[in-house]
């Protein structure tokens, strides 16, 4: 997909002055640049691909989202929806709106966001929201997927694909989120409605 080189909004990216994301290109810029620990807020629904056709996910010319990109930051969906998250069936890495949270020290939060009409595929870790997290603190709240979302992975879940800890902490908190019949499948036993695989990780799920 097209990637912006700057944000139209001149906010500082703090909790009280988040950077406003108005387009798919700006969302791509925020994720592909790693987030930089900043706060982001959607101002409207985002379309990463045209999902108007019933067979939209079969279009190999779709804009593929990122794999294996580390993210550190905070996304407030502002009760908006991201449409058209898509990966080709050749993907092998960590995939999701936030592909992975493994390198940076900052806490990652995603809240008030829906994902619809998504086709998330990988032989690795796959989820609509966070593909993989390792040794970090991730919070997802007031988010949802529905039956227009398809996820396939070696480890697959609606909100987190894989979670492992090799250091001092790996904690995932999921609260007030809903999986409204997303289609989740995979090549192994780590396929679940909320998260896929977990090793030595503290998971808290609350509704």
């Amino acid at each position: 997909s097209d990637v912006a080189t700057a944000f139209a909004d001149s906010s500082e990216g703090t909790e009280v002055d988040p950077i406003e994301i108005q387009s798919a290109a700006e969302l791509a810029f925020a994720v592909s640049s790693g987030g930089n620990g900043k706060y982001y807020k959607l101002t409207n629904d985002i379309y990463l691909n045209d999902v108007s056709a019933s067979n939209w996910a079969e279009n190999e010319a779709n804009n593929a989202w990122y794999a294996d990109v580390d993210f550190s930051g905070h996304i407030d969906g502002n009760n908006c929806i991201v449409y058209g998250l898509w990966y080709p069936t050749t993907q092998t890495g960590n995939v999701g709106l936030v592909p992975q949270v493994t390198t940076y020290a900052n806490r990652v939060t995603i809240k008030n966001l829906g994902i619809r009409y998504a086709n998330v595929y990988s032989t690795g870790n796959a989820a609509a929201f966070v593909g993989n997290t390792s040794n970090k603190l991730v919070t997802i709240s007031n988010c949802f997927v529905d039956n227009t979302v398809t996820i396939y992975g070696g480890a697959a879940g609606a909100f987190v694909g894989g979670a492992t800890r090799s250091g001092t902490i790996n904690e995932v908190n999921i609260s007030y989120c809903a999986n409204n019949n997303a289609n989740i499948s995979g090549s192994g036993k780590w396929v679940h409605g909320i998260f896929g695989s977990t090793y030595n990780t503290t998971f808290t799920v609350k509704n």
Side-chain angles (χ1 to χ4, degrees), residues 15-16 42 45 77-78 82 135-136 140 146 164 197:
E15 188 169 8
V16 296
L42 274 61
D45 293 343
N78 195 27
V82 172
N135 302 327
K136 300 296 171 247
I140 304 172
D146 66 9
T164 59
S197 70

Side-chain angles (χ1 to χ4, degrees), residues 102-182:
T102 61
T103 300
Y104 300 102
N106 296 42
R107 172 195 291 261
V108 169
T109 59
I110 304 173
K111 63 181 182 180
N112 306 325
L113 181 64
I115 293 179
R116 302 192 68 214
Y117 291 92
N119 192 76
V120 183
Y121 185 100
S122 178
T123 56
N125 298 306
F129 286 87
V130 177
N132 182 63
T133 175
S134 177
N135 302 327
K136 300 296 171 247
L137 183 58
V138 174
T139 299
I140 304 172
S141 61
N142 195 32
C143 292
F144 78 89
V145 294
D146 66 9
N147 63 358
T148 65
V149 172
T150 298
I151 301 166
Y152 178 95
F159 300 99
V160 176
T164 59
R165 187 184 81 177
S166 57
T168 58
I169 187 173
N170 197 47
E171 183 175 331
V172 178
N173 299 297
I174 300 174
S175 60
Y176 307 108
C177 291
N179 172 3
N180 296 321
N181 298 316

Side-chain angles (χ1 to χ4, degrees), residues 17 117 124 205:
D17 190 27
Y117 291 92
V205 179

Side-chain angles (χ1 to χ4, degrees), residues 39-125:
Y39 287 79
Y40 304 91
K41 185 176 183 178
L42 274 61
T43 61
N44 47 261
D45 293 343
I46 300 291
Y47 285 82
L48 303 178
N49 283 290
D50 180 358
V51 299
S52 58
S54 61
N55 63 342
W56 75 273
E58 299 173 16
N59 183 3
E60 293 298 323
N62 279 329
N63 298 312
W65 197 243
Y66 303 98
D68 297 327
V69 173
D70 267 302
F71 182 83
S72 171
H74 312 271
I75 299 173
D76 181 355
N78 195 27
N79 297 317
C80 296
I81 297 172
V82 172
Y83 294 88
L85 180 66
W86 184 86
Y87 289 91
T89 57
T90 54
Q91 185 55 248
T92 61
N94 296 318
V95 297
L97 183 68
V98 170
Q100 65 185 34
V101 184
T102 61
T103 300
Y104 300 102
N106 296 42
R107 172 195 291 261
V108 169
T109 59
I110 304 173
K111 63 181 182 180
N112 306 325
L113 181 64
I115 293 179
R116 302 192 68 214
Y117 291 92
N119 192 76
V120 183
Y121 185 100
S122 178
T123 56
N125 298 306

